Structure formats: C-alpha cells, structure tokens
Amino acid sequence: MSSKRPEGPFRIGRSETGLGLFATDLIEKGSFIVEYVGPRITSEEVERRRNTRYLFEINSRWTIDGAPRWNTARYINHACRPNAQATIARGKIRIKAIKRIKPGEEITYNYGKNYFETFIKPHGCRCRSCQKRREREAAG
C-alpha cells in the first residue's frame, strides 16, 4: 500500500472484514465521497476474469476493473444497511453518502444481489447489521 494519503475525507484502515474506508471528517448526507475508478474492460473480458472481486458493471458493454490499489473506493466494504451508495452516470461510478457519516465511522455500501450471492452468502455476511442480528439470535 502506498504511503500517499487518500484524497478525501477518509482513510484506509483495519475493519472487521479486512481493510476498510473510514471517515476522517463529518460527511453530510448527499455528499460525494469518492469515485470508483480503474481500467474499463469489455463484457467479453469480464467473462475471462470470472472470479475477480473488484469488477463493477457500468452497463451491458462496459465494466470497471477496480483492482488497482490506487482505486481508493475498492476499500469500501459491503453492508446490508449501508451509509453510502454507488450511482452510475455518464460512465462514472460515484459513491455518495445516504446518511450522515461521523468521523471514525466505516463507509459502506450494498454490493448488490449478484455479488452478494456469489461472494458473500457462501461464507456468511460479516457486516455490522448481520453480526448484531446473529448476536441477538444467539442470546435469544
């Protein structure tokens, strides 16, 4: 990981699921956080890279391969009850706050049904809301 500090109101740090992106400043609801960036690849190339975790589909023809470490947005983890969301407009993937995010809080968004079914469900979701639900069920 580069020693260059990410540009934005956030830092990369340890989370319960590996590395995550954490707010360093207050991020107001509706604010732009970061763009998901990387090389654009065709749908045919996506088929060849089947089990790559950082592919983000823009449309039926193009996908962004967000694997490069300089894509700070790759560190945003999945959550079933997220505080941010990805929006796609004019071929760009922008991450925006859907709740007020306090300094120190992890920035999360929902990765969507296909990703969830393929990568998360087989091992169990480890997002905060699912962990709390499992704790309640175990105590209950």
Side-chain angles (χ1 to χ4, degrees), residues 30-64:
S31 298
F32 166 77
I33 300 170
V34 67
E35 185 178 339
Y36 195 93
V37 293
R40 258 179 204 235
I41 60 173
T42 63
S43 298
E44 294 78 45
E45 182 61 25
V46 169
E47 291 304 313
R48 287 191 285 278
R49 300 184 190 188
R50 238 348 183 190
N51 278 334
T52 305
R53 292 179 178 264
Y54 298 104
L55 299 180
F56 202 124
E57 187 177 289
I58 300 172
N59 58 38
S60 60
R61 290 179 49 211
W62 296 102
T63 294
I64 299 240

Side-chain angles (χ1 to χ4, degrees), residues 111-130:
Y111 285 5
K113 189 176 186 342
N114 290 346
Y115 188 98
F116 187 89
E117 295 290 325
T118 305
F119 295 109
I120 298 173
K121 192 175 183 180
H123 307 286
C125 186
R126 297 190 321 206
C127 79
R128 178 168 284 154
S129 59
C130 287

Side-chain angles (χ1 to χ4, degrees), residues 8-139:
F10 44 72
R11 67 174 175 77
I12 298 165
R14 270 283 148 227
S15 84
E16 294 179 27
T17 57
L19 290 176
L21 203 63
F22 294 83
T24 54
D25 301 326
L26 181 67
I27 302 171
E28 293 293 346
K29 179 180 178 178
S31 298
F32 166 77
I33 300 170
V34 67
E35 185 178 339
Y36 195 93
V37 293
R40 258 179 204 235
I41 60 173
T42 63
S43 298
E44 294 78 45
E45 182 61 25
V46 169
E47 291 304 313
R48 287 191 285 278
R49 300 184 190 188
R50 238 348 183 190
N51 278 334
T52 305
R53 292 179 178 264
Y54 298 104
L55 299 180
F56 202 124
E57 187 177 289
I58 300 172
N59 58 38
S60 60
R61 290 179 49 211
W62 296 102
T63 294
I64 299 240
D65 179 358
R69 292 193 190 277
W70 45 264
N71 173 27
T72 307
R74 73 176 259 162
Y75 297 101
I76 301 174
N77 287 313
H78 165 83
C80 293
R81 296 180 68 194
N83 54 20
Q85 107 182 359
T87 57
I88 301 167
R90 295 189 199 106
K92 294 184 184 248
I93 302 163
R94 296 169 53 85
I95 312 298
K96 192 170 94 174
I98 55 172
K99 296 177 182 172
R100 190 174 214 225
I101 305 171
K102 297 180 188 122
E105 200 176 328
E106 186 172 5
I107 299 166
T108 59
Y109 66 89
N110 189 316
Y111 285 5
K113 189 176 186 342
N114 290 346
Y115 188 98
F116 187 89
E117 295 290 325
T118 305
F119 295 109
I120 298 173
K121 192 175 183 180
H123 307 286
C125 186
R126 297 190 321 206
C127 79
R128 178 168 284 154
S129 59
C130 287
Q131 282 183 329
K132 285 183 177 177
R133 181 181 44 80
R134 278 194 298 277
E135 287 168 10
R136 280 193 307 272
E137 288 170 0

